[in-house]
Amino acid sequence: MGISLLISIFIIFLILLWHFKSFTYAVLSFITMPLSIFGAALGLLLMQYPFGFTSFLGLLALCGIVVRNGIILIDFADELRRDHGYSVFEAAAQAAKRRMRPIFLTSSAAAVGVTPMILSRSTLWGPLGTVIAFGLMVSMVLTLFVLPVLYWLFFRNKKNESEASQENQANS
């Protein structure tokens, strides 16, 4: 199971590299994955489910869903910087504000969708639903607060295109 987890994580990272065409952006989006593990572990602990095969499958699904939330936020922040001339700090703050609703709605819908699995108390489907629901809810909150800060830390020394052109005009 560990090897398959590593392979899936590696494939997710390659997809992120392909999407962003930048190692830094891929790493930034990839950081959202560990944020979900806290919620998954907490859910299994609270619901008193063991970590087994179905919870492992839930973890794999959770990784993909959570990375999508990071992509939504990072893409929007980058669009604000590139197309609208926002500074890195402004772009990170606005992206968190403006993408909070879509991230919240998609995460909540997925978490509510697996609630019957949790409520069934099935030893087969309960752990899968628990990992997905708790992992999504915790990672959603952490993604909306941690990822904008990390975005700012990663790119705070980079100037957006409008700042760079203004600086070039002033130096001319």
Side-chain angles (χ1 to χ4, degrees):
M1 285 194 323
I3 292 172
S4 59
L5 178 63
L6 290 175
I7 290 170
S8 64
I9 288 172
F10 180 71
I11 291 171
I12 289 171
F13 189 74
L14 289 178
I15 291 169
L16 290 171
L17 275 174
W18 176 76
H19 172 74
F20 287 117
K21 294 173 183 43
S22 165
F23 184 78
T24 308
Y25 283 104
V27 168
L28 185 60
S29 184
F30 195 73
I31 288 174
T32 58
M33 261 196 265
L35 299 177
S36 66
I37 294 173
F38 298 123
L42 178 68
L44 289 174
L45 190 68
L46 288 175
M47 299 305 292
Q48 299 176 345
Y49 282 122
F51 184 79
F53 182 71
T54 56
S55 52
F56 176 75
L57 290 177
L59 200 58
L60 291 176
L62 179 64
C63 287
I65 296 168
V66 169
V67 166
R68 178 192 42 89
N69 289 343
I71 292 170
I72 290 170
L73 198 106
I74 292 168
D75 268 345
F76 190 69
D78 210 39
E79 178 185 327
L80 290 174
R81 281 181 52 217
R82 183 184 60 247
D83 298 340
H84 301 288
Y86 282 59
S87 70
V88 174
F89 180 80
E90 292 169 331
Q94 284 300 316
K97 285 180 192 174
R98 303 250 323 259
R99 292 297 162 213
M100 182 184 297
R101 186 174 182 187
I103 290 172
F104 174 76
L105 290 175
T106 57
S107 296
S108 298
V112 169
V114 296
T115 302
M117 292 179 177
I118 299 169
L119 295 177
S120 73
R121 295 303 299 167
S122 164
T123 56
L124 183 63
W125 300 114
L128 178 114
T130 299
V131 165
I132 291 174
F134 281 83
L136 275 173
M137 298 318 305
V138 170
S139 71
M140 172 194 62
V141 172
L142 291 176
T143 296
L144 288 170
F145 288 105
V146 173
L147 198 56
V149 172
L150 291 174
Y151 183 87
W152 175 74
L153 288 173
F154 274 48
F155 301 111
R156 66 179 174 225
N157 295 327
K158 273 190 160 184
K159 295 181 180 169
N160 63 18
E161 292 171 15
S162 64
E163 287 174 337
S165 65
Q166 288 172 358
E167 189 174 288
N168 288 339
Q169 290 174 354
N171 290 337
S172 301

